[in-house]
């Protein structure tokens, strides 16, 4: 795990990364934000070669969050743009599979909403609320402070929990860390990811690793098959039948522009996709699908001959 040295950023205008074997070695802050243009963001490579500040728009964001963290006596911070060596497939694999845990173990998370200015900015209209990766970044940290585009403090997550729950559908007890993720059904958790967007289609699945405590290999280029693989992994580790509670609304998807005229008009034409949902959007109406606890043993097994289910009817 690479962490950015805050003192060097604030006092020396220098980007210095230090490597640690685990997230428990030192206290650290963490940033949650939305990316601008990739070429404008501070990268891992920018922190090499003496780490002089690059001539990039993203350096202002890095500098400002480091100043905030320095005021609270943090020495290190993790920022996804520059603390992952994306040229190393093994490091990228580790980072994406560990990211939920890294946010969870951070001492504080700073959520930067670059398109909101208080007091008039409407929280629900921020792009941050619609991105795939920010779902786990919203849920996992123990402490989270929100800041607007001018780095003015908005509020703590627990104060905003009711408003965020209204906009996102995420249960308020999750936002207040009063209940564990495991207490919510697979379908409910999938519904929180509906209507969110990622730059790469594979990240619709990869950004949910931490939400479901799943570890998978990264296969960029596999497209929507990544979400199929995620559901296969969930069936292997869970007996929660709600994974099959999805509903594909073809007309809604056409109107939303997800796939447009490429969608089959007859659901029987969905060869290979009838068993599993095609994306989290198919769970958009599953926010109230709860886990039913019974004394009757439940099984869900996926094999080369299909799916075998044992359940109470």
């Amino acid at each position: 795990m690479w962490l950015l040295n805050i003192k060097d950023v604030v006092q020396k205008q220098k980007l210095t990364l230090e490597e640690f074997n685990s997230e428990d070695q030192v206290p650290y802050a963490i940033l949650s934000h939305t990316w601008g243009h990739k070429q404008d963001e501070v990268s891992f490579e920018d922190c090499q070669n003496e780490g002089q500040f690059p001539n990039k728009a993203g350096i202002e964001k890095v500098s400002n969050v480091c100043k905030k963290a320095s005021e609270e006596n943090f020495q290190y911070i993790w920022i996804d743009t520059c603390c992952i060596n994306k040229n190393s497939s093994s490091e990228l694999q580790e980072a994406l599979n560990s990211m939920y845990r890294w946010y969870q173990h951070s001492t504080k998370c700073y959520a930067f909403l670059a398109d909101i200015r208080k007091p008039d900015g409407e929280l629900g209209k921020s792009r941050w609320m619609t991105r795939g990766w920010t779902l786990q970044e919203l849920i996992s940290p123990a402490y989270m402070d929100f800041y607007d585009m001018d780095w003015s403090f908005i509020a703590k997550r627990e104060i905003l929990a009711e408003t965020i729950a209204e906009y996102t559908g995420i249960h308020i007890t999750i936002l207040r860390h009063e209940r564990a993720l495991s207490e919510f059904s697979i379908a409910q958790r999938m519904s929180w990811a509906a209507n969110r967007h990622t730059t790469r289609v594979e990240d619709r699945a990869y950004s949910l690793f931490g939400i479901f405590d799943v570890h998978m290999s990264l296969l960029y280029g596999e497209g929507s098959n990544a979400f199929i693989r995620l559901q296969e992994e969930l069936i292997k580790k869970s007996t929660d039948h709600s994974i099959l509670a999805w509903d594909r609304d073809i007309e809604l998807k056409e109107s939303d522009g997800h796939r447009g005229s490429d969608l089959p008009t007859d659901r029987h034409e969905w060869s290979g996709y009838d068993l599993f949902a095609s994306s989290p959007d198919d769970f958009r109406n599953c926010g109230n699908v709860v886990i039913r606890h019974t004394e009757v043993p439940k099984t869900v097994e996926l094999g080369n001959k299909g799916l075998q289910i044992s359940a109470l009817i």
Side-chain angles (χ1 to χ4, degrees):
M1 181 185 193
W2 294 96
L3 293 174
L4 187 64
N5 185 304
I6 291 173
K7 184 177 180 180
D8 280 2
V9 173
V10 175
Q11 296 185 7
K12 301 179 182 179
Q13 288 74 56
K14 182 180 178 182
L15 299 168
T16 305
L17 289 176
E18 298 182 32
E19 189 173 16
F20 296 90
N21 292 325
S22 80
E23 65 274 9
D24 297 323
Q25 278 189 262
V26 294
Y28 62 92
I30 203 163
L31 174 67
S32 177
H33 67 117
T34 55
W35 285 46
H37 295 294
K38 185 177 180 180
Q39 64 270 21
D40 291 335
E41 297 292 349
V42 177
S43 68
F44 183 86
E45 289 72 28
D46 291 327
C47 299
Q48 312 305 307
N49 302 322
E50 299 185 354
Q52 299 303 312
F53 274 17
N55 185 23
K56 292 183 173 181
I59 194 63
E60 182 178 4
K61 174 168 52 180
V62 171
S63 181
N64 283 329
V65 73
C66 283
K67 289 176 183 176
K68 290 294 181 184
S70 177
E71 291 170 5
E72 299 192 63
N73 298 315
F74 285 105
Q75 294 181 304
Y76 298 99
I77 190 167
W78 189 87
I79 303 173
D80 60 350
T81 59
C82 61
C83 293
I84 303 175
N85 181 5
K86 300 175 183 66
N87 290 324
S88 167
S89 58
S90 61
E91 287 197 31
L92 181 60
Q93 173 89 26
E94 178 188 5
L96 297 198
N97 276 282
S98 304
M99 200 172 294
Y100 184 93
R101 192 175 73 250
W102 289 351
Y103 275 89
Q104 186 178 47
H105 284 263
S106 66
T107 305
K108 175 173 280 189
C109 178
Y110 297 92
F112 175 54
L113 309 187
D115 50 2
I116 293 293
R117 176 177 280 121
K118 73 170 209 178
D120 301 321
E122 189 174 339
L123 202 66
K125 291 183 178 180
S126 175
R127 179 169 169 260
W128 187 91
M129 290 288 186
T130 67
R131 302 302 295 172
W133 287 105
T134 55
L135 173 61
Q136 65 175 4
E137 296 168 15
L138 169 63
I139 290 173
S140 55
Y143 300 98
M144 189 174 209
D145 289 351
F146 284 82
Y147 288 84
D148 73 359
M149 63 196 305
D150 299 318
W151 283 96
S152 295
F153 178 66
I154 299 174
K156 295 182 179 296
R157 182 184 54 205
E158 55 264 33
I159 300 300
L160 298 172
E162 189 173 335
T163 301
I164 294 172
E166 180 182 348
Y167 282 119
T168 64
I170 301 171
H171 204 280
I172 195 169
T173 57
I174 281 289
L175 297 172
R176 289 177 174 164
H177 282 210
E178 295 171 349
R179 294 173 65 186
L181 276 172
S182 58
E183 295 181 49
F184 292 84
S185 71
I186 288 175
Q188 282 178 298
R189 284 178 272 173
M190 286 290 189
S191 74
W192 304 339
N195 304 317
R196 288 178 175 265
H197 310 283
T198 57
T199 302
R200 299 289 297 268
V201 66
E202 295 89 350
D203 287 336
R204 293 294 305 272
Y206 300 164
S207 62
L208 297 177
F209 287 172
I211 301 296
F212 295 105
D213 192 21
V214 165
H215 299 279
M216 281 172 42
S217 59
L218 307 181
L219 298 172
Y220 281 107
E222 67 174 324
S224 58
N225 188 62
F227 191 65
I228 303 298
R229 285 203 299 128
L230 174 63
Q231 293 169 91
E232 290 174 346
E233 288 298 317
L234 290 174
I235 281 181
K236 290 178 186 177
K237 64 172 290 184
S238 173
T239 58
D240 181 356
H241 298 162
S242 74
I243 192 172
L244 304 175
W246 59 270
D247 179 39
R248 183 177 292 117
D249 190 330
I250 293 175
E251 292 183 3
L252 184 59
K253 281 185 176 291
E254 287 179 333
S255 66
D256 282 356
H258 285 272
R259 295 188 185 179
S261 59
D262 294 335
L263 282 166
T265 55
D266 185 344
R267 72 179 293 125
H268 295 293
E269 296 178 28
W270 288 88
S271 176
Y273 287 91
D274 283 336
L275 179 59
F276 292 121
S278 60
S279 82
D281 295 339
D282 293 338
F283 290 90
R284 71 175 81 231
N285 297 318
C286 293
N288 294 319
V289 178
V290 300
I291 299 173
R292 183 178 181 183
H293 297 284
T294 69
E295 295 182 0
V296 179
K298 297 185 295 182
T299 60
V300 182
E301 297 179 6
L302 182 65
N304 57 5
K305 293 185 179 180
L307 186 69
Q308 178 180 331
I309 299 176
S310 174
L312 182 66
I313 299 177

